[in-house]
Amino acid sequence: TRSTVLVTSTTNPNAVLVKTNDGTLHKISDVTKLIALSPRDRQGVPDVLDLPNVSEASLLHALRIRYKRDDIYTSTGPILISINPYKSM
């Protein structure tokens, strides 16, 4: 999903308000920490070590995308992450 920067702060030039496609608003206190997503980031790859930029944000985004697709298992190299393992498939 893509995001849109709505408002930049007049008191803090590094702070912005970002709205995602689902309508959620996020206050970002340091815009320099934002990283653009690559097309692979947007897909939710099966092994997060294959992400071009591995960070906490990209990991959480990949897990969120895969969970919404009912892909509850995600690899991180030899480690398997399971989100809601009790969900019937």
Side-chain angles (χ1 to χ4, degrees):
T1 59
R2 295 181 187 258
S3 300
T4 304
V5 174
L6 296 177
V7 179
T8 56
S9 172
T10 57
T11 58
N12 181 357
N14 285 334
V16 293
L17 185 62
V18 176
K19 181 179 181 182
T20 57
N21 280 351
D22 65 0
T24 306
L25 294 174
H26 302 275
K27 181 181 178 186
I28 309 298
S29 59
D30 187 358
V31 73
T32 62
K33 298 202 187 271
L34 292 176
I35 299 171
L37 292 177
S38 73
R40 293 200 66 200
D41 290 320
R42 290 187 183 98
Q43 296 170 357
V45 294
D47 189 335
V48 292
L49 294 182
D50 292 334
L51 290 171
N53 299 310
V54 178
S55 66
E56 180 182 357
S58 65
L59 170 64
L60 292 174
H61 180 73
L63 293 174
R64 187 178 304 115
I65 294 295
R66 292 180 55 76
Y67 178 76
K68 286 181 181 178
R69 285 196 316 235
D70 288 330
D71 291 334
I72 62 171
Y73 299 107
T74 304
S75 295
T76 55
I79 300 168
L80 182 66
I81 298 173
S82 176
I83 305 292
N84 194 9
Y86 300 106
K87 182 176 182 177
S88 59
M89 297 190 69

